[in-house]
Amino acid sequence: MNKEPLVSIIVVDFNGQHFWNRLLDSLSDQTFSNFELIVVDNGGHLELPESHDGIRIKVLNRKENLGFSAGCNLGVSASVGDWVVFLNNDTVVEKNWLECLFSKMISNVSVGAVVSKIVFYPRYTRLRISVPTFKPSDTDLSSDSRSLGVRVRFSPRWDESTGLLNLEGFHGKEIEGNFEWRWTSEIANVCIPCFPRETTESQELIVSTPHETVGETASIEIGEDKMSIPIDCVQHVFGLEKRATFDIINSAGSELEDDGTCREEGIYKIDSGQYDIPREVTAFSGCSVMIRRDLFEELGGFDPKFFAYYEDTDLSWRMRKAGWKIMYEPKSVVRHHRSGTSGEQSPFFCFHIYRNMRWNVAKNARLRRALPLLLMELFSWIPSSVNTNNEFSALRLKRETIAGMVKYLVRRLTQAIG
């Protein structure tokens, strides 16, 4: 008989059918196999089998979108495990992911939650270009005063998943035909995604400089390969499939800042082992975290009013207030399509991040921090950098932010008086 405690993995899905084949394959390959899989289908469009390579799958179909917070709570209510794991649907987990979470959890009775090391889904290779530049305005044929080097054609494939990272030294995109091109400055760097088990399309560089720089050379570095190419007004093509690759950190544990924001440690940094030491952190990411079931239920689970984003920070804050530790376990590795469901910087994303961060402060921070933030919201407008649309408008965002902050603060004051 398998004496390992049963773990319940909770995955909330919203229109994420395309993620599931890889996720299920990675779950079926786990070294720790005594778990059940509970899937909350927000919207009721998901098609999954009852089992996959021995994994028990229980799908809870909901016609309406409950959101991540309420969806997780529903998943826990339908589960039986003494430990619950919350996992994003847009992930792939490595073989010992669950075993390492569980081992760290049972190593100390004061640990309430264990969070994984999260890297972006694709591996990356680095492109670096060093090139002589020119200014079109010097030719008297243009008013463009930018310093330009060479043009790089950006493949549409690179926009998938997390996309390009650490873009430096490139000018704005220009559309020519069906392709996006960018001019470099004198020195340009970018990390290009190379997708696992797939062939990455060729990168194309086109040198289109005036006669003043023809005959000079450009230095190109792709991965560990260095080369020089002549500036000769022709197209130079380089393949990426055999280049050196590396992982880039999405989150090596989260840290709660004094102003209520939550910082993902190590984000966008190349993973060179600098985050391979377990440590206590002040917050966990709901992307991949194991929590004691009894503790989760005792604290009331995720706040369903948050819907999505910062619900994990809120629960982290309440967990630490109750005296529990949150541990980061780097041996538990998850590959993540960042914002694969909601879209990075989409109006939905910006709306909930802005509102929920302020709700979190009103709910959990010291009053000397929460009250000034409420006053600031009362006498200021939504920053133009916050992406809005008709559904997630600035007016709606301002109203919901203030109303929620007031409700949480009134509840705290009422409880303190009572």
Side-chain angles (χ1 to χ4, degrees):
M1 179 181 293
N2 192 340
K3 296 182 179 180
E4 291 178 322
L6 182 65
V7 172
S8 298
I9 300 174
I10 315 295
V11 181
V12 176
D13 185 276
F14 180 69
N15 294 334
Q17 183 73 52
H18 55 292
F19 294 121
W20 276 95
N21 285 341
R22 290 194 182 98
L23 175 54
L24 287 175
D25 285 345
S26 68
L27 288 174
S28 66
D29 201 28
Q30 290 299 294
T31 55
F32 182 105
S33 59
N34 192 7
F35 64 88
E36 64 173 347
L37 177 60
I38 308 294
V39 180
V40 180
D41 179 15
N42 276 335
H45 303 300
L46 193 61
E47 296 182 2
L48 291 178
E50 294 182 357
S51 64
H52 179 87
D53 286 348
I55 300 175
R56 293 168 285 175
I57 305 175
K58 183 176 183 179
V59 180
L60 308 178
N61 293 299
R62 307 293 297 188
K63 292 183 179 181
E64 73 278 20
N65 184 2
L66 299 177
F68 183 80
S69 307
C72 286
N73 294 345
L74 177 63
V76 172
S77 68
S79 68
V80 298
D82 291 330
W83 287 267
V84 292
V85 175
F86 299 102
L87 180 66
N88 276 17
N89 65 334
D90 56 350
T91 58
V92 172
V93 295
E94 300 202 350
K95 290 185 65 171
N96 60 349
W97 161 74
L98 189 55
E99 180 182 359
C100 292
L101 282 179
F102 185 75
S103 296
K104 177 60 67 175
M105 174 64 77
I106 63 174
S107 68
N108 190 324
V109 294
S110 65
V111 174
V114 182
V115 64
S116 302
K117 177 182 183 179
I118 305 167
V119 299
F120 290 119
Y121 174 73
R123 288 179 65 82
Y124 281 81
T125 193
R126 185 195 296 278
L127 168 65
R128 176 181 172 86
I129 300 175
S130 179
V131 64
T133 60
F134 72 99
K135 292 184 178 181
S137 57
D138 291 343
T139 66
D140 296 327
L141 299 176
S142 172
S143 61
D144 187 352
S145 61
R146 296 177 298 168
S147 293
L148 306 179
V150 297
R151 288 202 307 167
V152 177
R153 195 182 83 173
F154 280 44
S155 167
R157 189 76 172 88
W158 298 347
D159 288 333
E160 297 181 22
S161 184
T162 307
L164 295 162
L165 293 178
N166 302 331
L167 190 73
E168 300 174 347
F170 285 86
H171 295 286
K173 65 180 179 181
E174 302 172 1
I175 303 300
E176 184 176 303
N178 296 322
F179 295 100
E180 173 187 327
W181 297 78
R182 288 180 185 261
W183 281 99
T184 72
S185 53
E186 182 179 7
I187 298 176
N189 293 277
V190 64
C191 294
I192 300 173
C194 299
F195 294 93
R197 299 182 298 277
E198 299 172 17
T199 299
T200 304
E201 294 179 3
S202 296
Q203 165 199 318
E204 294 183 349
L205 296 178
I206 183 169
V207 179
S208 177
T209 54
H211 68 276
E212 286 86 354
T213 55
V214 168
E216 298 194 54
T217 59
S219 174
I220 310 291
E221 298 179 27
I222 307 175
E224 297 177 349
D225 301 320
K226 300 180 181 180
M227 64 209 80
S228 294
I229 62 171
I231 298 178
D232 51 10
C233 298
V234 300
Q235 181 173 307
H236 296 264
V237 179
F238 305 91
L240 296 176
E241 60 275 4
K242 295 182 180 180
R243 309 295 179 177
T245 60
F246 47 81
D247 285 324
I248 295 183
I249 298 290
N250 182 170
S251 178
S254 302
E255 298 295 342
L256 187 62
E257 304 287 6
D258 290 339
D259 63 357
T261 58
C262 193
R263 172 175 53 85
E264 292 174 312
E265 187 67 38
I267 188 168
Y268 302 131
K269 294 183 179 179
I270 293 175
D271 183 10
S272 56
Q274 71 273 45
Y275 296 105
D276 284 352
I277 300 176
R279 70 182 194 283
E280 184 176 357
V281 295
T282 55
F284 62 79
S285 166
C287 177
S288 173
V289 61
M290 175 178 282
I291 302 177
R292 296 179 184 274
R293 181 195 187 91
D294 55 355
L295 175 60
F296 183 83
E297 293 176 337
E298 178 184 338
L299 295 176
F302 291 119
D303 188 336
K305 296 184 181 65
F306 279 53
F307 195 82
Y309 300 112
Y310 269 92
E311 75 293 316
D312 45 8
T313 309
D314 165 50
L315 184 56
S316 297
W317 210 330
R318 290 185 280 130
M319 190 178 294
R320 294 183 69 249
K321 281 183 177 180
W324 293 88
K325 292 181 179 180
I326 302 170
M327 298 300 298
Y328 162 71
E329 177 47 72
K331 293 180 181 178
S332 174
V333 179
V334 174
R335 312 194 74 86
H336 182 215
H337 296 273
R338 186 169 175 83
S339 298
T341 297
S342 65
E344 184 77 10
Q345 299 305 317
S346 67
F348 175 93
F349 176 90
C350 291
F351 182 96
H352 289 88
I353 288 289
Y354 184 96
R355 184 196 69 180
N356 292 357
M357 187 279 282
R358 287 152 180 81
W359 283 7
N360 191 28
V361 170
K363 185 177 181 180
N364 296 297
R366 294 181 180 180
L367 291 179
R368 66 170 180 260
R369 172 71 65 181
L371 291 174
L373 183 59
L374 174 60
L375 290 174
M376 183 183 300
E377 286 301 313
L378 287 168
F379 296 103
S380 65
W381 192 240
I382 303 299
S384 59
S385 58
V386 177
N387 190 15
T388 59
N389 62 11
N390 289 336
E391 181 180 4
F392 299 104
S393 67
L395 179 59
R396 177 189 170 190
L397 177 55
K398 176 59 69 173
R399 286 175 174 172
E400 289 193 16
T401 298
I402 293 174
M405 292 184 71
V406 170
K407 288 180 181 178
Y408 283 120
L409 285 166
V410 168
R411 181 186 303 171
R412 290 178 63 182
L413 293 172
T414 301
Q415 291 174 345
I417 294 173

